[in-house]
Amino acid sequence: RWVFVCEGRHGCWGLNVAPGDLEKSPRSDPDPWEALHRHKRSWVWNQFFVLEEYTGNEPLYVGKLHSDVDKGDGKVKYVLTGEGATSIFTIDENTGDIHATKRLDREAQAYYTLQAQAVDRFTNVPVEPRSEFVVKVQDINDNEPKFVDGPYLAGVPEMSPLGTMVVQVAATDADDPTYGNSARVVYSVIHGQPYFSVEPKTGVIRTALPNMDRETRDQYVLVIQAKDMVGQMGGLSGTTSVTVMLTDVNDNPPRFTHKSYQYTVLESLPVQSVVARIKAADADIGSNAEMDYRIVDGDGPGLFNITTDENTQEGIIILLKPLDFETKSGFSLKIEATNRNIDSNFLSLGPFSDTAFVKVTVEDVNEPPIFSTPLSRMVVSEDAKVGTSIGRLSAHDPDNINGAIRYSIDRNTDLERFFNVDASSGIISTAKVLDREANSVHNLTILAMESQDPSQIGKGIALITVLDINDNAPVFAIDYETLLCENAIPGQVIQTISAVDRDEPPSGHRFFFSLAAPIAGNLNFTLRDNKDNTASILTKRGGFKRREQPVYRLPVLILDSGNPALSSTNTLSVRVCECDSDGVALSCGAVAYTATGLSTGALLAILGCIITLLVMVLLIVTMRRRRKEPLILDEERDIRENIVRYDDEGGGEEDTEAFDMVTLRNLNIIRDPNVRRDVTPDTPTFFHYPSASRPPYKSLPDNVVFREFIWERLKDADVDPSAPPYDSLQTYAFEGNGSVAESLSSLESLSTDSDHNYDYLSNWGPRFKKLADLYGNSDGTSVFS
């Protein structure tokens, strides 16, 4: 049987025998090996221990294997197989001694399973059955504790009571927890006292001071140590950091930094604008610093409102109504700020609200004039004479200076200039004859301007209603087409007529119908007034014949009820028609008679003339299409502007030789616009001078000379019926009177035959008298008599 031997602290040796064998002491037997040999047993498992991390120079002795078959004569050989055999563990095949040749690490592998066998050295026949045993690696304290979850981040509410748990830390030790104290860890605080403490066995960190204030310090960094060997001398240790954040609680009430604030705004500040921003300080953060503002007292109720800016927690004072410096120049408000989320645990720290006073000063600005009535309604009769006063608008300067006001009409609302307004009094009067039927209501914008500051303009509305007068006579409502059957009977109604009137009398229209005097007593038709603004036309007889008279014309007199009454005569055409038995017209108008007076040759001649005319029209159309230049300008050639180019380079500002201003200023000449287009016509100017005291053109400033000339040319073009209906360039050779240029006339001989009429030379003034005498008289012989 096998014997396993362990020596020293590395293991122990003993005999693995049956229980009955243990009763026999080896000391009582003079030869224990013999005694054991006498009782042969099978192999029994045993366990060896090997110290980890052995650092000796020699292989580490593990134990010894011995079989009682081995007599020491070298016939038995020991063989070792299994985990680490030959690589880590070796056996002396002769003695059975087992050694470890490498350093072992329990944390890498805690035990090795090996198989031992004893065989005959010569025949390799097993002399003992195979037996399995374990080599266990014995632990030493070679691993320090480690915080696998570190570093830690934790939070605890500020002002927490003493001993409030913050977080629990845990360290692990790779050493064997079942052997010795190598893996028994205790915790301690290396850094972070006296604020926090840690339980040595559990690693629970707790607050060590009460009432820690986040507003004073909001973060703490602790260093926690874990040491094995129950903290004894020689134990290994590891550390980790724990960052503890103090979370906020609502322990600070809001407080205004000042008890009184003052702001200044302009009275022109628009409604819904921000007047001021005010903030109460709160040392808390987040939801604990949220607050609501309200106006608890103050003058100007309903004039201001305050809201909270959710981003900055400021109180925003907003204007709700317009300000008026002249009415009130200052306001005082009492503002209260209150925490929105109040913690009942800290009510003892004081009321979580505060108040402050805000004074708002209004500054005056120059405001435009204000009309006493923004909309003034006025009426004027349609027949009002030009200059009739309609009404008056009044505006005042809202500022304290109360300056003078000047009135005018926005001509965009009175393009045809029907009205004028007195600049000083604001009285509106008519400037043209009014026509209610063209425009019954005029909506004028009246401008009120400060005399001292023309940029300040106020606006008012004048709604002028034109009252109607009876100035329009009634007429037929439509163009009637009256048909009369030849078989009509006497007293038959052939047409019912009505009338319209552009006037609108207050009591409504009332029209009276009758036949005009020339045919009032005719024998064919009569008129009956239906007294409802309609009238009926009736026949007086029957037997109408188209051949005798195809059309009858009845003058109808229509009279309105106005004061004075107006009337008009309207002609009603009655066409005689051939009708069927139901009275439906079949054919109307003149009867086509047979041309008994015309021969066949005459009819052919008329037909030939018609054909000839058609051929001529076709020829004219064909020729016009073949012309190279169209009679009407193409769309691409419809030029609306002309560019005139002069290749004349001036000499700059000092060039006084290029143009003589005297030429334009010497305009004293008899002007006839119908004859001469290159001189100033005798038309009104911008400057209204009396006819006797009007200064000559040469005494007017240069800019006035040009302005007068262009204005007069413009007025000529406006009244010229032959002027083009679009913008065009008008070129005028404005030479003036007394030109210093020599005559450009090509007249060289008195005997030149000419059929021109030069009578207009006599209208050109004394300088052309010689030419007028030579050519202006048709009887040339009288000149040389």
Side-chain angles (χ1 to χ4, degrees):
R1 62 183 190 177
W2 281 105
V3 177
F4 301 87
V5 180
C6 301
E7 293 184 353
R9 65 185 293 258
H10 309 298
C12 59
W13 66 274
L15 301 177
N16 281 8
V17 294
D21 296 334
L22 296 178
E23 298 177 355
K24 299 178 181 180
S25 172
R27 294 182 182 179
S28 62
D29 193 341
D31 190 359
W33 297 105
E34 291 294 333
L36 292 175
H37 178 72
R38 287 193 298 267
H39 301 279
K40 189 173 180 60
R41 295 287 188 269
S42 61
W43 289 41
V44 180
W45 174 88
N46 204 345
Q47 180 171 282
F48 293 96
F49 294 90
V50 179
L51 189 65
E52 69 169 330
E53 304 293 346
Y54 174 73
T55 57
N57 295 326
E58 298 295 330
L60 177 64
Y61 180 76
V62 177
K64 183 181 181 63
L65 297 179
H66 184 75
S67 173
D68 56 0
V69 178
D70 185 4
K71 302 300 181 180
D73 53 5
K75 294 182 180 180
V76 176
K77 181 176 66 173
Y78 297 96
V79 179
L80 187 66
T81 60
E83 292 180 325
T86 69
S87 61
I88 298 176
F89 300 100
T90 61
I91 189 170
D92 190 329
E93 63 181 10
N94 296 318
T95 64
D97 292 332
I98 301 174
H99 292 82
T101 61
K102 294 182 179 180
R103 295 176 58 184
L104 300 180
D105 186 4
R106 189 199 68 84
E107 285 71 41
Q109 186 167 349
Y111 61 89
Y112 297 84
T113 302
L114 300 172
Q115 293 84 32
Q117 191 171 24
V119 298
D120 187 281
R121 183 181 298 274
F122 302 104
T123 63
N124 286 331
V125 176
V127 296
E128 291 280 4
R130 184 186 298 273
S131 179
E132 184 177 85
F133 64 95
V134 173
V135 177
K136 186 175 182 180
V137 182
Q138 188 174 0
D139 182 49
I140 64 172
N141 189 19
D142 59 343
N143 291 278
E144 72 277 3
K146 294 182 179 179
F147 292 91
V148 294
D149 296 329
Y152 294 85
L153 180 63
V156 63
E158 63 172 331
M159 312 300 290
S160 295
L162 180 66
T164 301
M165 177 179 174
V166 180
V167 69
Q168 183 177 15
V169 297
T172 58
D173 196 319
D175 293 325
D176 188 358
T178 64
Y179 178 77
N181 295 323
S182 299
R184 295 182 63 185
V185 177
V186 293
Y187 301 93
S188 62
V189 178
I190 301 300
H191 178 74
Q193 294 174 335
Y195 304 103
F196 298 92
S197 63
V198 61
E199 294 180 358
K201 294 182 178 181
T202 62
V204 174
I205 299 175
R206 300 182 182 275
T207 58
L209 290 177
N211 300 329
M212 287 189 291
D213 190 5
R214 184 200 66 82
E215 287 72 34
T216 303
R217 182 178 178 183
D218 63 349
Q219 179 176 308
Y220 298 84
V221 178
L222 313 181
V223 177
I224 305 298
Q225 181 188 67
K227 190 174 183 181
D228 58 13
M229 300 299 293
V230 201
Q232 298 177 2
M233 185 74 66
L236 301 179
S237 64
T239 60
T240 187
S241 65
V242 179
T243 301
V244 180
M245 304 292 298
L246 293 184
T247 58
D248 186 57
V249 298
N250 192 7
D251 60 338
N252 292 277
R255 291 292 180 262
F256 287 104
T257 55
H258 301 86
K259 285 301 179 183
S260 179
Y261 299 85
Q262 185 165 352
Y263 299 93
T264 301
V265 296
L266 298 176
E267 67 170 327
S268 59
L269 186 70
V271 175
Q272 296 299 325
S273 297
V274 176
V275 175
R277 286 177 173 263
I278 184 173
K279 184 176 182 180
D282 192 331
D284 297 322
I285 59 175
S287 61
N288 295 319
E290 294 178 356
M291 60 188 73
D292 294 319
Y293 296 86
R294 66 190 185 101
I295 300 175
V296 295
D297 194 10
D299 47 7
L303 191 63
F304 301 97
N305 187 28
I306 187 168
T307 60
T308 302
D309 188 331
E310 297 299 335
N311 295 323
T312 63
Q313 295 302 312
E314 292 178 306
I316 305 174
I317 301 176
I318 300 175
L319 181 66
L320 298 182
K321 296 180 181 179
L323 297 172
D324 186 8
F325 172 82
E326 288 72 27
T327 303
K328 189 173 179 61
S329 61
F331 300 89
S332 180
L333 307 175
K334 185 178 181 181
I335 307 298
E336 181 186 59
T338 305
N339 268 146
R340 192 175 296 170
N341 304 303
I342 299 177
D343 192 338
S344 59
N345 296 324
F346 302 99
L347 292 178
S348 59
L349 298 179
F352 282 79
S353 64
D354 196 17
T355 59
F357 290 93
V358 176
K359 185 177 181 180
V360 181
T361 302
V362 181
E363 283 190 354
D364 186 27
V365 296
N366 191 9
E367 299 174 275
I370 299 176
F371 283 87
S372 57
T373 304
L375 176 62
S376 297
R377 299 180 182 273
M378 303 178 183
V379 294
V380 60
S381 178
E382 185 179 5
D383 61 346
K385 296 181 180 180
V386 175
T388 301
S389 296
I390 303 173
R392 180 176 182 272
L393 273 74
S394 176
H396 68 280
D397 187 355
D399 300 316
N400 290 330
I401 57 175
N402 197 16
I405 306 296
R406 296 187 62 82
Y407 302 91
S408 62
I409 297 177
D410 183 357
R411 291 303 176 183
N412 291 325
T413 61
D414 186 25
L415 296 176
E416 298 184 17
R417 298 177 178 264
F418 282 108
F419 303 93
N420 288 328
V421 62
D422 187 89
S424 301
S425 64
I427 296 176
I428 300 176
S429 60
T430 58
K432 287 184 178 180
V433 176
L434 304 177
D435 184 5
R436 189 205 65 84
E437 286 70 38
N439 193 354
S440 61
V441 177
H442 297 266
N443 192 345
L444 305 183
T445 298
I446 308 300
L447 307 178
M449 179 189 307
E450 291 186 11
S451 298
Q452 296 182 357
D453 187 1
S455 64
Q456 298 297 327
I457 301 175
K459 293 183 179 181
I461 303 297
L463 195 64
I464 302 175
T465 302
V466 182
L467 299 180
D468 185 39
I469 63 170
N470 191 24
D471 59 345
N472 291 278
V475 296
F476 277 157
I478 58 174
D479 292 333
Y480 292 101
E481 183 180 3
T482 304
L483 304 179
L484 174 63
C485 293
E486 289 181 321
N487 57 359
I489 61 175
Q492 180 178 341
V493 177
I494 61 174
Q495 183 69 60
T496 299
I497 59 177
S498 62
V500 293
D501 194 332
R502 296 178 61 192
D503 297 320
E504 291 184 3
S507 58
H509 290 289
R510 176 67 178 94
F511 301 121
F512 304 93
F513 300 88
S514 62
L515 293 178
I519 64 165
N522 74 93
L523 301 177
N524 298 316
F525 305 97
T526 184
L527 182 145
R528 182 181 65 205
D529 193 335
N530 297 325
K531 308 300 183 181
D532 59 354
N533 290 340
T534 62
S536 300
I537 306 298
L538 298 87
T539 57
K540 280 188 176 181
R541 65 179 181 88
F544 292 93
K545 301 295 183 180
R546 284 192 302 153
R547 296 179 181 275
E548 296 177 358
Q549 186 172 349
V551 178
Y552 294 90
R553 302 188 184 277
L554 301 180
V556 179
L557 179 65
I558 307 176
L559 180 68
D560 62 18
S561 59
N563 187 16
L566 296 180
S567 64
S568 67
T569 301
N570 300 263
T571 301
L572 180 66
S573 298
V574 181
R575 299 172 59 192
V576 181
C577 302
E578 180 182 355
C579 303
D580 58 12
S581 59
D582 295 329
V584 178
L586 300 177
S587 59
C588 303
V591 179
Y593 291 94
T594 304
T596 56
L598 294 177
S599 63
T600 304
L603 293 175
L604 292 176
I606 294 173
L607 183 60
C609 292
I610 294 174
I611 294 175
T612 303
L613 290 174
L614 292 175
V615 172
M616 292 179 64
V617 170
L618 291 176
L619 288 175
I620 293 173
V621 172
T622 304
M623 292 177 64
R624 298 185 82 177
R625 289 184 178 177
R626 292 183 178 179
R627 291 182 60 182
K628 295 182 179 180
E629 293 293 332
L631 295 178
I632 301 176
L633 291 175
D634 294 335
E635 188 172 328
E636 293 78 12
R637 300 181 59 194
D638 189 7
I639 301 173
R640 299 297 173 144
E641 295 182 0
N642 299 314
I643 300 177
V644 180
R645 176 180 177 183
Y646 301 95
D647 293 325
D648 184 9
E649 182 175 355
E653 295 180 355
E654 299 180 357
D655 185 6
T656 59
E657 302 295 332
F659 188 75
D660 188 2
M661 290 291 298
V662 178
T663 304
L664 289 178
R665 298 189 58 175
N666 198 359
L667 303 176
N668 294 330
I669 186 170
I670 299 175
R671 296 177 294 275
D672 187 357
N674 296 326
V675 179
R676 292 294 302 271
R677 303 294 292 173
D678 57 346
V679 296
T680 306
D682 190 11
T683 57
T685 67
F686 283 121
F687 300 90
H688 303 286
Y689 302 102
S691 58
S693 62
R694 178 172 180 174
Y697 275 94
K698 63 183 180 179
S699 64
L700 296 175
D702 295 338
N703 60 337
V704 177
V705 172
F706 295 123
R707 188 189 308 168
E708 291 287 283
F709 180 78
I710 296 300
W711 177 252
E712 291 169 359
R713 295 277 73 79
L714 177 62
K715 293 180 66 175
D716 288 347
D718 288 341
V719 299
D720 187 1
S722 62
Y726 47 80
D727 294 342
S728 63
L729 179 65
Q730 299 290 336
T731 304
Y732 302 104
F734 187 10
E735 186 174 351
N737 186 25
S739 173
V740 297
E742 294 295 333
S743 174
L744 302 179
S745 173
S746 61
L747 300 176
E748 294 180 357
S749 173
L750 296 177
S751 62
T752 302
D753 295 330
S754 175
D755 56 354
H756 291 285
N757 183 7
Y758 297 99
D759 291 340
Y760 59 85
L761 293 175
S762 59
N763 297 328
W764 283 17
R767 290 182 178 270
F768 296 92
K769 186 174 184 304
K770 177 68 72 176
L771 290 176
D773 294 338
L774 292 175
Y775 295 93
N777 198 346
S778 60
D779 187 8
T781 57
S782 61
V783 178
F784 302 98
S785 59

